Amino acid sequence: MDMTSVFTVGAILSLGGGAGVALYYYRKRNIEKLFNQTYDMIKQVPKQKKNSFLLLMFKESLAVSKKKDKASFSGKFNNPKFLEIQLVQMANILKNPEKVQDKTIKRALNLVSQYQAWEKLKTTENKKAIQEKAS
């Protein structure tokens, strides 16, 4: 191989690596934004329904992002009967997540576990910040 080929391969690999890093940070920023919005919204939900509501929110968010149909998303949550039925279904899924076949639900379950880890980290950081201010 001559120097031009080596340089071309090196440039392509470095561009691919840069694109990979950029994609990672882009996705991380969007997940962080989603989790912050969820954190603010989840404060209004009773604790016993929190995980079911999280799963429902992430499931609907994933479904809407696939369909690109944003209008149907808000209308569903205005119906209390629909919301209650969905929360019961989500609670059943959370009780036995191994039986889930749907890819969207599996991704939503993964997001719920990621969110719970993120939330735990956020609360410990907030507690440390409060302790440092008190000291």
Side-chain angles (χ1 to χ4, degrees):
M1 279 205 311
D2 60 348
M3 287 302 283
T4 309
S5 302
V6 172
F7 179 74
T8 305
V9 169
I12 290 171
L13 288 176
S14 63
L15 285 173
V21 168
L23 179 65
Y24 170 77
Y25 283 110
Y26 174 76
R27 292 186 75 200
K28 183 178 177 182
R29 187 184 75 216
N30 284 344
I31 288 288
E32 185 80 20
K33 191 169 129 181
L34 174 68
F35 286 170
N36 279 320
Q37 290 172 345
T38 303
Y39 185 75
D40 292 337
M41 289 174 49
I42 206 71
K43 293 175 185 176
Q44 302 169 359
V45 177
K47 287 193 182 240
Q48 66 270 20
K49 295 183 180 183
K50 178 182 173 185
N51 289 334
S52 300
F53 187 75
L54 279 172
L55 183 58
L56 177 62
M57 275 187 44
F58 290 138
K59 178 188 118 265
E60 290 296 323
S61 295
L62 290 170
V64 166
S65 70
K66 283 183 182 178
K67 293 179 186 175
K68 305 290 185 209
D69 180 20
K70 313 258 188 269
S72 66
F73 183 70
S74 63
K76 290 179 180 180
F77 289 105
N78 290 334
N79 185 345
K81 288 182 181 180
F82 172 81
L83 189 59
E84 194 61 37
I85 291 169
Q86 290 295 310
L87 288 176
V88 169
Q89 287 179 341
M90 297 303 122
N92 290 335
I93 290 171
L94 287 168
K95 287 179 186 172
N96 200 353
E98 292 85 29
K99 290 185 177 181
V100 174
Q101 299 289 324
D102 186 26
K103 288 181 183 179
T104 305
I105 299 279
K106 286 182 181 181
R107 288 184 63 205
L109 284 166
N110 187 22
L111 277 174
V112 168
S113 63
Q114 288 177 359
Y115 173 81
Q116 289 169 338
W118 176 86
E119 184 180 36
K120 190 179 291 185
L121 182 67
K122 183 175 177 87
T123 55
T124 56
E125 287 175 357
N126 288 345
K127 286 179 184 178
K128 284 181 184 178
I130 290 171
Q131 288 175 352
E132 287 176 3
K133 286 182 181 178
S135 299

